[in-house]
Amino acid sequence: MATSKAPGRLLAYIESRKNLTGSACGIAGLALTFTGLAGAYWPVVIVGLYGAGALIAPPERPSAPDFPDPSSQLDSLRADFVTLRAYLDEVELPPAASGRLVELTELLAGLLAPGWVSEALATDPEGIHALSRAVHQDIPESVDTYLRTRWWTRIAPGTEPPERHLEQQLSLLHREAESLVAGLREAEARRQQTHTRYLEDRGRSG
């Protein structure tokens, strides 16, 4: 196993920055030899210059992983949101819960709509995560849990109405989405204030 890895390691070293830099310095040593400046110690000069070049060469580093950028994540999330809305259109909910769900999905649709709002969202990884969690997990789970619990309540009445939990869950999710909107709005406000201070400072210095 070690023998099979040796040619690969040798090839990697030959192509490495250390070897290339050392070889360049060694070639400079050869030039000194041909001009007679290295004298009788030319082998030592060449080896020494090669070693010095290998030492000063920048270290090798692995390439950073190429993860999807936030914009591509939002594109995927938009497609999943369309799938979620198609599912919700087939679900029968009580009027109060249905109204809260419409408010929530309209707010999420506004955040995901292509344009400057989603561009601002793309700079907020935590916001994208919260939005993805709402679309992929929180909303489907809330609705599906209600539907399953409602069936049990019908055959075993007398328990707490499941729509009460659904309304509460949707209200909490709407509040989280509003907090996300507020955070994006505050970021834009800070950007505007920063630009104002920049113009004021430029005016004073001018």
Side-chain angles (χ1 to χ4, degrees):
M1 185 67 67
T3 304
S4 62
K5 292 181 179 180
R9 291 177 178 174
L10 178 60
L11 180 61
Y13 180 75
I14 291 174
E15 297 175 346
S16 67
R17 293 189 183 94
K18 287 184 176 297
N19 181 58
L20 295 177
T21 305
S23 298
C25 292
I27 291 173
L30 285 174
L32 293 176
T33 300
F34 292 143
T35 58
L37 296 177
Y41 300 100
W42 64 268
V44 177
V45 172
I46 294 175
V47 172
L49 287 174
Y50 175 88
L55 286 175
I56 65 173
E60 298 289 335
R61 62 177 181 81
S63 300
D66 186 18
F67 294 121
D69 58 37
S71 297
S72 63
Q73 294 181 39
L74 284 177
D75 290 339
S76 175
L77 189 55
R78 287 188 190 101
D80 293 341
F81 183 62
V82 171
T83 302
L84 174 64
R85 297 192 82 167
Y87 159 72
L88 296 176
D89 288 341
E90 298 179 359
V91 173
E92 181 182 350
L93 299 178
S98 179
R100 292 181 187 272
L101 183 60
V102 168
E103 293 175 354
L104 174 59
T105 54
E106 286 182 351
L107 183 54
L108 298 183
L111 286 168
L112 287 170
W116 66 270
V117 175
S118 61
E119 290 172 1
L121 179 62
T123 64
D124 183 7
E126 292 298 326
I128 294 177
H129 174 71
L131 204 56
S132 175
R133 183 178 56 196
V135 171
H136 294 144
Q137 177 181 340
D138 294 333
I139 297 176
E141 179 68 15
S142 294
V143 173
D144 185 62
T145 302
Y146 161 76
L147 294 175
R148 287 185 283 114
T149 307
R150 181 183 62 177
W151 184 85
W152 288 106
T153 303
R154 285 176 178 174
I155 66 173
T159 58
E160 187 176 7
E163 57 267 21
R164 185 177 304 171
H165 284 286
L166 177 60
E167 291 172 20
Q168 183 179 4
Q169 291 166 8
L170 295 176
S171 296
L172 291 171
L173 290 173
H174 190 270
R175 194 178 307 166
E176 285 187 3
E178 286 183 324
S179 297
L180 176 57
V181 171
L184 294 173
R185 182 176 61 243
E186 290 174 5
E188 292 296 334
R190 287 194 299 270
R191 179 184 176 188
Q192 185 184 40
Q193 293 165 5
T194 299
H195 189 57
T196 300
R197 287 194 295 270
Y198 163 72
L199 293 176
E200 290 174 345
D201 293 342
R202 190 175 71 181
R204 284 192 292 267
S205 62

